[in-house]
Coordinates of all heavy atoms in Angstrom, one line a residue:
M1 N -48.4 2.0 -11.6 CA -47.8 2.5 -10.3 C -48.9 2.5 -9.2 O -49.9 3.2 -9.3 CB -47.3 4.0 -10.5 CG -46.4 4.4 -9.4 SD -45.6 6.0 -9.8 CE -46.8 7.1 -9.2
G2 N -48.7 1.6 -8.3 CA -49.7 1.5 -7.2 C -49.4 2.5 -6.1 O -48.3 2.9 -5.9
K3 N -50.5 2.8 -5.4 CA -50.3 3.8 -4.3 C -49.9 3.0 -3.1 O -50.7 2.1 -2.6 CB -51.7 4.4 -4.1 CG -51.5 5.8 -3.4 CD -52.9 6.5 -3.4 CE -53.0 7.6 -2.4 NZ -54.3 8.1 -2.3
K4 N -48.7 3.2 -2.6 CA -48.2 2.4 -1.5 C -48.7 3.0 -0.2 O -48.8 4.2 0.0 CB -46.7 2.4 -1.5 CG -46.2 1.2 -2.2 CD -44.7 1.1 -2.0 CE -44.1 0.0 -2.9 NZ -42.7 0.1 -3.0
R5 N -49.1 2.1 0.7 CA -49.6 2.6 2.0 C -48.4 2.7 2.9 O -47.9 1.7 3.4 CB -50.6 1.5 2.5 CG -51.7 2.2 3.3 CD -52.7 1.2 3.7 NE -53.8 1.8 4.4 CZ -54.7 1.2 5.0 NH1 -54.8 -0.1 4.9 NH2 -55.7 1.8 5.7
R6 N -48.1 3.9 3.2 CA -46.9 4.1 4.0 C -47.3 4.1 5.5 O -48.4 4.5 5.9 CB -46.3 5.5 3.7 CG -45.3 5.4 2.6 CD -44.7 6.7 2.3 NE -45.8 7.7 2.0 CZ -45.6 9.0 2.1 NH1 -44.5 9.5 2.5 NH2 -46.5 9.8 1.8
T7 N -46.4 3.5 6.3 CA -46.7 3.6 7.7 C -46.3 4.9 8.2 O -45.1 5.2 8.3 CB -45.9 2.4 8.4 OG1 -45.9 1.3 7.5 CG2 -46.6 2.0 9.7
K8 N -47.2 5.7 8.6 CA -46.9 7.0 9.0 C -46.9 7.0 10.6 O -47.7 6.5 11.2 CB -48.0 8.0 8.6 CG -47.7 8.5 7.1 CD -48.4 9.7 6.8 CE -49.9 9.5 6.7 NZ -50.7 10.7 6.4
K9 N -45.8 7.6 11.1 CA -45.7 7.8 12.5 C -46.7 8.8 13.0 O -47.2 8.8 14.1 CB -44.3 8.2 12.9 CG -43.4 7.0 13.1 CD -43.2 6.6 14.5 CE -42.6 5.2 14.7 NZ -41.1 5.3 14.6
V10 N -46.9 9.8 12.1 CA -47.8 10.9 12.4 C -49.2 10.5 12.0 O -49.6 10.5 10.9 CB -47.4 12.2 11.8 CG1 -48.4 13.3 12.1 CG2 -46.0 12.6 12.2
G11 N -50.0 10.1 13.0 CA -51.4 9.7 12.7 C -52.3 10.8 13.0 O -51.9 12.0 13.0
P12 N -53.6 10.5 13.4 CA -54.5 11.6 13.7 C -54.1 12.3 15.0 O -54.5 13.4 15.2 CB -55.8 10.8 14.0 CG -55.6 9.4 13.5 CD -54.1 9.2 13.4
T13 N -53.2 11.7 15.8 CA -52.7 12.4 17.0 C -51.5 13.2 16.8 O -50.9 13.7 17.7 CB -52.4 11.3 18.1 OG1 -51.5 10.4 17.6 CG2 -53.7 10.6 18.5
G14 N -51.1 13.3 15.5 CA -49.8 14.0 15.2 C -49.7 15.4 15.7 O -48.7 15.9 16.1
G15 N -50.9 16.0 15.8 CA -50.9 17.4 16.3 C -50.7 17.6 17.8 O -50.5 18.7 18.2
L16 N -50.8 16.5 18.4 CA -50.7 16.5 19.9 C -49.3 16.3 20.4 O -48.6 15.4 19.9 CB -51.6 15.5 20.5 CG -53.1 15.9 20.6 CD1 -53.9 14.7 21.1 CD2 -53.4 17.1 21.3
G17 N -48.9 17.1 21.3 CA -47.6 16.9 21.9 C -47.6 15.9 23.0 O -48.6 15.2 23.2
V18 N -46.5 15.8 23.7 CA -46.4 14.7 24.7 C -47.0 15.1 26.0 O -47.1 14.4 27.0 CB -44.9 14.4 25.0 CG1 -44.3 13.5 24.0 CG2 -44.0 15.7 25.1
R19 N -47.5 16.4 26.1 CA -48.1 16.8 27.3 C -49.4 16.1 27.6 O -50.0 16.1 28.7 CB -48.3 18.3 27.4 CG -48.8 18.9 26.2 CD -48.4 20.3 25.9 NE -48.9 20.7 24.6 CZ -49.8 21.5 24.4 NH1 -50.4 22.1 25.4 NH2 -50.3 21.8 23.2
Y20 N -50.0 15.4 26.6 CA -51.2 14.6 26.8 C -50.9 13.2 27.1 O -50.0 12.6 26.5 CB -52.1 14.7 25.6 CG -52.6 16.1 25.3 CD1 -52.0 16.9 24.4 CD2 -53.7 16.5 26.0 CE1 -52.5 18.2 24.2 CE2 -54.2 17.8 25.8 CZ -53.6 18.7 24.9 OH -54.1 19.9 24.7
G21 N -51.6 12.7 28.1 CA -51.4 11.3 28.5 C -51.9 10.3 27.4 O -52.5 10.7 26.4
V22 N -51.5 9.0 27.6 CA -51.9 8.0 26.6 C -53.4 7.9 26.5 O -53.9 7.8 25.4 CB -51.2 6.7 27.0 CG1 -51.7 5.6 26.1 CG2 -49.7 6.8 27.0
S23 N -54.0 7.9 27.6 CA -55.5 7.7 27.6 C -56.2 8.8 26.9 O -57.1 8.6 26.1 CB -56.0 7.5 29.0 OG -55.8 8.7 29.8
V24 N -55.7 10.0 27.1 CA -56.3 11.2 26.5 C -56.0 11.1 25.0 O -56.9 11.3 24.2 CB -55.7 12.5 27.0 CG1 -56.2 13.7 26.2 CG2 -56.0 12.7 28.5
R25 N -54.8 10.6 24.6 CA -54.5 10.5 23.2 C -55.4 9.5 22.5 O -55.8 9.6 21.4 CB -53.0 10.1 23.1 CG -52.4 10.8 21.9 CD -51.0 10.4 21.7 NE -50.1 11.0 22.7 CZ -48.8 11.0 22.5 NH1 -48.3 10.4 21.5 NH2 -48.0 11.5 23.4
K26 N -55.6 8.4 23.2 CA -56.4 7.3 22.7 C -57.8 7.8 22.5 O -58.4 7.5 21.5 CB -56.5 6.1 23.7 CG -55.7 4.9 23.3 CD -56.0 3.8 24.2 CE -54.7 3.0 24.4 NZ -54.8 2.1 25.6
R27 N -58.3 8.5 23.5 CA -59.7 9.1 23.3 C -59.7 10.1 22.2 O -60.7 10.1 21.4 CB -60.1 9.7 24.7 CG -61.6 10.0 24.7 CD -62.0 10.6 26.0 NE -61.6 9.8 27.2 CZ -61.3 10.3 28.4 NH1 -61.2 11.6 28.5 NH2 -61.0 9.5 29.3
Y28 N -58.7 10.9 22.1 CA -58.6 11.9 21.1 C -58.7 11.2 19.7 O -59.4 11.6 18.8 CB -57.4 12.7 21.2 CG -57.1 13.7 20.2 CD1 -57.8 15.0 20.3 CD2 -56.3 13.5 19.1 CE1 -57.6 15.9 19.3 CE2 -56.1 14.5 18.1 CZ -56.7 15.7 18.2 OH -56.5 16.6 17.3
R29 N -57.9 10.1 19.6 CA -57.8 9.4 18.4 C -59.2 8.9 17.9 O -59.6 9.0 16.8 CB -56.8 8.3 18.5 CG -56.4 7.8 17.2 CD -55.3 6.7 17.4 NE -54.9 6.2 16.1 CZ -53.7 5.7 15.9 NH1 -52.8 5.7 16.9 NH2 -53.4 5.2 14.7
S30 N -59.9 8.2 18.9 CA -61.2 7.7 18.5 C -62.2 8.8 18.2 O -63.0 8.7 17.4 CB -61.7 6.8 19.7 OG -61.9 7.5 20.8
T31 N -62.0 9.9 18.9 CA -62.9 11.0 18.7 C -62.7 11.6 17.3 O -63.6 11.9 16.5 CB -62.6 12.2 19.7 OG1 -62.7 11.6 21.0 CG2 -63.6 13.3 19.5
I32 N -61.4 11.6 16.9 CA -61.1 12.2 15.5 C -61.6 11.2 14.5 O -62.2 11.7 13.5 CB -59.5 12.4 15.4 CG1 -59.1 13.5 16.3 CG2 -59.2 12.7 14.0 CD1 -59.8 14.8 16.1
S33 N -61.4 9.9 14.7 CA -61.9 9.0 13.6 C -63.4 9.0 13.6 O -64.0 8.9 12.5 CB -61.4 7.6 13.9 OG -61.5 7.2 15.2
E34 N -64.0 9.3 14.7 CA -65.5 9.4 14.8 C -65.9 10.7 14.0 O -66.9 10.7 13.3 CB -65.9 9.5 16.2 CG -67.4 9.3 16.5 CD -67.8 7.9 16.1 OE1 -67.0 6.9 16.3 OE2 -68.9 7.7 15.5
M35 N -65.1 11.7 14.2 CA -65.4 13.0 13.6 C -65.3 12.9 12.0 O -66.0 13.6 11.3 CB -64.3 14.0 14.1 CG -64.5 15.4 13.6 SD -63.1 16.4 14.2 CE -62.1 16.5 12.7
K36 N -64.4 12.0 11.6 CA -64.2 11.9 10.1 C -65.2 11.1 9.4 O -65.4 11.2 8.2 CB -62.8 11.3 9.8 CG -61.7 12.4 10.0 CD -60.3 11.8 9.8 CE -59.3 13.0 9.9 NZ -58.0 12.4 10.0
K37 N -66.0 10.4 10.2 CA -67.1 9.6 9.6 C -68.2 10.5 9.4 O -68.5 11.4 10.1 CB -67.5 8.5 10.7 CG -66.8 7.3 10.6 CD -67.5 6.2 11.4 CE -66.5 5.7 12.5 NZ -67.2 5.0 13.6
P38 N -69.0 10.3 8.3 CA -70.2 11.1 8.0 C -71.2 10.8 9.1 O -71.4 9.6 9.5 CB -70.7 10.6 6.7 CG -69.7 9.7 6.1 CD -68.7 9.3 7.2
Q39 N -71.8 11.8 9.6 CA -72.7 11.7 10.7 C -74.2 11.7 10.2 O -74.4 12.2 9.1 CB -72.5 12.8 11.8 CG -71.1 12.8 12.3 CD -70.8 11.6 13.2 OE1 -71.6 11.0 13.8 NE2 -69.5 11.2 13.1
T40 N -75.1 11.2 11.0 CA -76.5 11.2 10.5 C -77.1 12.5 10.6 O -77.0 13.2 11.7 CB -77.2 10.1 11.3 OG1 -76.5 8.9 11.3 CG2 -78.6 9.9 10.8
C41 N -77.8 12.9 9.6 CA -78.5 14.2 9.6 C -79.8 14.1 10.4 O -80.6 13.2 10.1 CB -78.7 14.6 8.1 SG -79.8 16.1 8.0
P42 N -80.0 15.0 11.3 CA -81.2 15.0 12.1 C -82.5 15.4 11.3 O -83.6 15.1 11.6 CB -81.0 16.0 13.2 CG -79.8 16.8 12.8 CD -79.1 16.1 11.7
Q43 N -82.2 16.0 10.1 CA -83.3 16.4 9.3 C -83.7 15.4 8.2 O -84.9 15.0 8.2 CB -83.0 17.8 8.6 CG -84.2 18.3 7.9 CD -84.1 19.8 7.5 OE1 -84.5 20.6 8.2 NE2 -83.4 20.0 6.4
C44 N -82.8 14.9 7.4 CA -83.1 14.0 6.4 C -82.8 12.5 6.7 O -83.2 11.6 6.0 CB -82.5 14.4 5.1 SG -80.7 14.3 5.0
G45 N -82.0 12.4 7.8 CA -81.7 11.0 8.3 C -80.6 10.3 7.5 O -80.2 9.2 7.7
L46 N -80.0 11.0 6.5 CA -78.9 10.4 5.7 C -77.6 10.7 6.4 O -77.4 11.7 7.1 CB -78.9 11.0 4.3 CG -80.0 10.6 3.4 CD1 -80.1 11.5 2.2 CD2 -79.9 9.1 3.0
R47 N -76.6 9.8 6.2 CA -75.3 10.0 6.8 C -74.5 10.8 5.9 O -73.5 10.4 5.3 CB -74.7 8.6 7.0 CG -75.3 7.8 8.1 CD -74.6 6.5 8.3 NE -73.3 6.6 8.9 CZ -73.1 6.7 10.2 NH1 -74.0 6.7 11.0 NH2 -71.8 6.8 10.6
S48 N -74.8 12.1 5.8 CA -74.1 13.0 5.0 C -73.7 14.3 5.7 O -73.3 15.3 5.1 CB -75.0 13.5 3.8 OG -75.7 12.4 3.2
V49 N -73.7 14.2 7.0 CA -73.3 15.3 7.8 C -71.8 15.3 8.0 O -71.2 14.4 8.5 CB -74.1 15.3 9.2 CG1 -73.5 16.4 10.1 CG2 -75.5 15.5 8.9
K50 N -71.2 16.5 7.6 CA -69.8 16.6 7.8 C -69.5 17.8 8.7 O -70.3 18.8 8.7 CB -69.1 16.9 6.5 CG -69.1 15.6 5.6 CD -67.8 14.9 5.7 CE -67.7 13.6 4.9 NZ -67.3 13.9 3.5
R51 N -68.5 17.8 9.4 CA -68.1 18.9 10.3 C -67.6 20.1 9.5 O -66.7 19.9 8.7 CB -67.0 18.5 11.3 CG -67.0 19.4 12.5 CD -65.9 19.0 13.4 NE -64.6 19.5 12.9 CZ -63.7 20.0 13.6 NH1 -63.8 20.1 14.9 NH2 -62.6 20.5 13.1
E52 N -68.3 21.2 9.6 CA -67.9 22.3 8.8 C -66.8 23.1 9.5 O -65.8 23.5 9.0 CB -69.1 23.2 8.6 CG -68.9 24.0 7.3 CD -70.2 24.7 6.9 OE1 -70.5 25.8 7.3 OE2 -70.9 24.0 6.1
S53 N -67.0 23.4 10.8 CA -65.9 23.9 11.7 C -66.3 23.4 13.1 O -67.2 22.7 13.3 CB -65.9 25.4 11.6 OG -67.0 26.0 12.2
V54 N -65.5 23.9 14.0 CA -65.7 23.4 15.4 C -67.1 23.7 15.9 O -67.5 24.8 16.0 CB -64.7 24.0 16.4 CG1 -64.9 23.6 17.8 CG2 -63.3 23.7 15.9
G55 N -67.8 22.6 16.1 CA -69.2 22.8 16.6 C -70.3 23.0 15.6 O -71.4 23.1 15.9
I56 N -69.8 23.2 14.3 CA -70.8 23.4 13.3 C -70.8 22.2 12.3 O -69.8 21.8 11.8 CB -70.4 24.7 12.5 CG1 -70.2 25.9 13.4 CG2 -71.5 25.0 11.4 CD1 -71.5 26.4 14.1
W57 N -72.0 21.7 12.1 CA -72.2 20.6 11.3 C -73.1 20.9 10.1 O -74.1 21.7 10.3 CB -72.8 19.4 12.1 CG -71.9 19.1 13.2 CD1 -71.7 19.7 14.4 CD2 -70.9 18.0 13.2 NE1 -70.7 19.1 15.1 CE2 -70.2 18.1 14.4 CE3 -70.5 17.0 12.3 CZ2 -69.2 17.2 14.7 CZ3 -69.5 16.2 12.6 CH2 -68.9 16.2 13.8
A58 N -72.9 20.3 9.0 CA -73.7 20.6 7.8 C -74.0 19.4 7.0 O -73.1 18.5 6.9 CB -73.0 21.7 6.9
C59 N -75.2 19.2 6.6 CA -75.6 18.1 5.8 C -75.3 18.4 4.3 O -75.7 19.4 3.8 CB -77.0 17.7 6.0 SG -77.6 16.3 5.0
R60 N -74.7 17.4 3.7 CA -74.4 17.6 2.2 C -75.6 17.4 1.4 O -75.6 17.8 0.2 CB -73.3 16.7 1.8 CG -71.9 16.9 2.5 CD -71.2 18.1 1.9 NE -70.2 18.6 2.9 CZ -68.9 18.3 2.8 NH1 -68.5 17.5 1.8 NH2 -68.0 18.8 3.6
K61 N -76.5 16.7 1.9 CA -77.7 16.3 1.1 C -78.8 17.4 1.1 O -79.2 17.8 0.1 CB -78.3 15.0 1.6 CG -77.5 13.8 1.2 CD -77.7 13.3 -0.2 CE -76.8 12.1 -0.5 NZ -76.2 12.1 -1.8
C62 N -79.1 17.8 2.3 CA -80.3 18.8 2.4 C -79.8 20.1 2.8 O -80.6 21.1 2.8 CB -81.3 18.2 3.3 SG -80.8 18.2 5.1
G63 N -78.5 20.3 3.1 CA -78.0 21.6 3.4 C -78.3 22.0 4.9 O -78.0 23.2 5.2
F64 N -78.8 21.1 5.6 CA -79.2 21.5 7.0 C -77.9 21.7 7.8 O -77.0 20.9 7.8 CB -80.0 20.3 7.6 CG -80.5 20.6 9.0 CD1 -81.3 21.6 9.3 CD2 -80.1 19.8 10.1 CE1 -81.8 21.9 10.5 CE2 -80.6 20.0 11.3 CZ -81.4 21.0 11.6
K65 N -77.9 22.8 8.5 CA -76.8 23.2 9.4 C -77.2 23.2 10.8 O -78.3 23.8 11.1 CB -76.3 24.6 8.9 CG -74.9 24.5 8.4 CD -74.4 25.9 8.2 CE -73.6 26.1 6.9 NZ -73.1 27.4 6.7
F66 N -76.4 22.7 11.7 CA -76.7 22.8 13.1 C -75.4 22.8 13.9 O -74.4 22.4 13.5 CB -77.6 21.6 13.5 CG -77.0 20.3 13.3 CD1 -76.5 19.6 14.3 CD2 -77.0 19.7 12.0 CE1 -75.9 18.3 14.2 CE2 -76.4 18.5 11.8 CZ -75.9 17.8 12.9
A67 N -75.6 23.3 15.1 CA -74.5 23.4 16.1 C -74.5 22.1 16.9 O -75.6 21.5 17.2 CB -74.7 24.6 17.0
G68 N -73.4 21.6 17.2 CA -73.3 20.4 18.0 C -72.0 20.4 18.8 O -71.4 21.4 19.0
G69 N -71.5 19.2 19.1 CA -70.3 19.1 19.8 C -69.1 19.5 18.9 O -69.3 19.6 17.7
A70 N -68.0 19.7 19.5 CA -66.8 20.1 18.7 C -66.4 19.0 17.7 O -65.9 19.3 16.7 CB -65.7 20.5 19.6
Y71 N -66.5 17.8 18.1 CA -66.0 16.7 17.3 C -67.1 15.7 16.8 O -66.9 15.1 15.8 CB -65.0 15.9 18.1 CG -63.8 16.8 18.5 CD1 -63.5 17.1 19.8 CD2 -62.9 17.2 17.5 CE1 -62.5 17.9 20.1 CE2 -61.9 18.0 17.8 CZ -61.6 18.4 19.1 OH -60.6 19.2 19.4
V72 N -68.2 15.7 17.5 CA -69.3 14.9 17.1 C -70.6 15.7 17.2 O -70.7 16.6 18.1 CB -69.4 13.5 17.9 CG1 -68.4 12.5 17.5 CG2 -69.4 13.8 19.4
P73 N -71.6 15.4 16.3 CA -72.8 16.3 16.4 C -73.5 16.2 17.7 O -74.0 17.2 18.2 CB -73.6 15.7 15.3 CG -72.7 14.9 14.4 CD -71.6 14.5 15.2
S74 N -73.5 15.0 18.3 CA -74.1 14.9 19.6 C -73.0 15.0 20.7 O -71.9 14.7 20.4 CB -74.8 13.6 19.7 OG -73.9 12.5 19.9
T75 N -73.4 15.4 21.8 CA -72.4 15.6 22.9 C -72.3 14.4 23.8 O -71.8 14.4 24.9 CB -72.7 16.8 23.7 OG1 -74.1 16.8 24.1 CG2 -72.4 18.1 23.0
N76 N -72.8 13.2 23.3 CA -72.8 12.0 24.1 C -71.4 11.7 24.5 O -71.1 11.2 25.6 CB -73.3 10.8 23.3 CG -74.8 10.9 23.2 OD1 -75.5 11.7 23.9 ND2 -75.4 10.2 22.3
L77 N -70.4 11.9 23.6 CA -69.1 11.5 23.9 C -68.5 12.3 25.0 O -67.8 11.8 25.9 CB -68.2 11.8 22.6 CG -67.0 10.9 22.5 CD1 -67.3 9.7 21.6 CD2 -65.8 11.7 22.0
G78 N -68.8 13.6 25.0 CA -68.4 14.5 26.1 C -68.9 14.1 27.4 O -68.2 14.1 28.4
V79 N -70.2 13.6 27.4 CA -70.8 13.2 28.6 C -70.0 11.9 29.1 O -69.7 11.8 30.3 CB -72.3 12.8 28.4 CG1 -72.9 12.2 29.6 CG2 -73.0 14.1 28.0
T80 N -69.7 11.0 28.2 CA -69.0 9.8 28.6 C -67.6 10.2 29.2 O -67.2 9.6 30.2 CB -68.8 8.9 27.4 OG1 -70.1 8.8 26.7 CG2 -68.4 7.5 27.8
A81 N -67.0 11.1 28.5 CA -65.6 11.5 29.0 C -65.7 12.1 30.3 O -64.9 11.8 31.2 CB -65.0 12.5 28.0
K82 N -66.7 12.9 30.5 CA -66.9 13.6 31.8 C -67.2 12.6 32.9 O -66.7 12.6 34.0 CB -68.1 14.6 31.7 CG -67.7 16.0 31.6 CD -68.9 16.9 31.6 CE -68.7 18.1 30.8 NZ -69.9 18.8 30.5
R83 N -68.0 11.6 32.5 CA -68.3 10.6 33.5 C -67.1 9.8 33.9 O -66.9 9.5 35.1 CB -69.4 9.6 32.8 CG -70.5 9.3 33.8 CD -71.5 8.4 33.1 NE -72.6 9.1 32.5 CZ -73.4 8.6 31.6 NH1 -73.0 7.5 31.0 NH2 -74.4 9.3 31.1
S84 N -66.3 9.4 32.9 CA -65.1 8.6 33.3 C -64.1 9.4 34.1 O -63.4 8.9 34.9 CB -64.5 7.9 32.0 OG -64.2 8.9 31.1
A85 N -64.1 10.7 33.8 CA -63.2 11.6 34.5 C -63.6 11.7 35.9 O -62.8 11.7 36.9 CB -63.2 13.0 33.8
A86 N -64.9 11.8 36.1 CA -65.5 11.9 37.5 C -65.2 10.6 38.3 O -64.9 10.7 39.5 CB -66.9 12.2 37.4
R87 N -65.2 9.5 37.6 CA -65.0 8.2 38.2 C -63.6 8.1 38.8 O -63.3 7.5 39.8 CB -65.3 7.1 37.2 CG -65.6 5.8 37.9 CD -66.1 4.8 36.9 NE -65.3 4.8 35.8 CZ -65.6 4.1 34.6 NH1 -66.7 3.5 34.5 NH2 -64.8 4.2 33.6
S88 N -62.6 8.6 38.0 CA -61.2 8.5 38.4 C -60.8 9.5 39.5 O -59.8 9.4 40.1 CB -60.3 8.7 37.2 OG -60.5 10.0 36.6
T89 N -61.7 10.4 39.7 CA -61.3 11.4 40.8 C -61.8 11.0 42.2 O -62.8 10.4 42.3 CB -61.9 12.8 40.5 OG1 -62.5 12.8 39.2 CG2 -60.9 13.9 40.6
Ligands
ZN1 ZN1 -79.8 16.2 5.7

């Protein structure tokens, strides 16, 4: 019995309602997929950092815990979002 890959309508954006625009949803989606990727640990340099809770990141290898962005350890993404928001205004 093989595991069938179902086409789910509810993707990473499933939790979001229609009040968010397409661009926001797109950005949210890429942010979420970025969030799900293991991040690089600033202490041991291994990609073993997982998000523990909003803004809290923990390395599975060395146990290093640190505060960061809500979705990515670094806030670069937020800066980019802010920048593009400023550009459209
Ligand atoms: Zn580490």
Side-chain angles (χ1 to χ4, degrees):
M1 196 170 86
K3 208 173 161 189
K4 265 188 192 167
R5 211 173 181 189
R6 277 181 299 159
T7 325
K8 278 198 289 183
K9 274 263 166 84
V10 180
T13 57
L16 283 177
V18 280
R19 43 208 175 109
Y20 292 96
V22 174
S23 60
V24 173
R25 217 184 283 195
K26 252 188 217 166
R27 195 180 299 148
Y28 178 81
R29 197 175 178 153
S30 65
T31 307
I32 292 303
S33 43
E34 196 63 37
M35 181 185 104
K36 281 180 177 165
K37 273 190 237 163
Q39 304 292 327
T40 309
C41 173
Q43 185 165 264
C44 68
L46 289 165
R47 288 180 71 84
S48 313
V49 173
K50 289 264 177 85
R51 200 182 80 136
E52 206 166 90
S53 70
V54 178
I56 307 293
W57 298 82
C59 177
R60 297 282 162 99
K61 287 278 180 226
C62 68
F64 184 61
K65 243 188 219 180
F66 61 101
Y71 299 110
V72 284
S74 73
T75 47
N76 286 346
L77 207 100
V79 172
T80 315
K82 257 183 213 166
R83 226 181 260 156
S84 56
R87 200 171 45 193
S88 63
T89 350

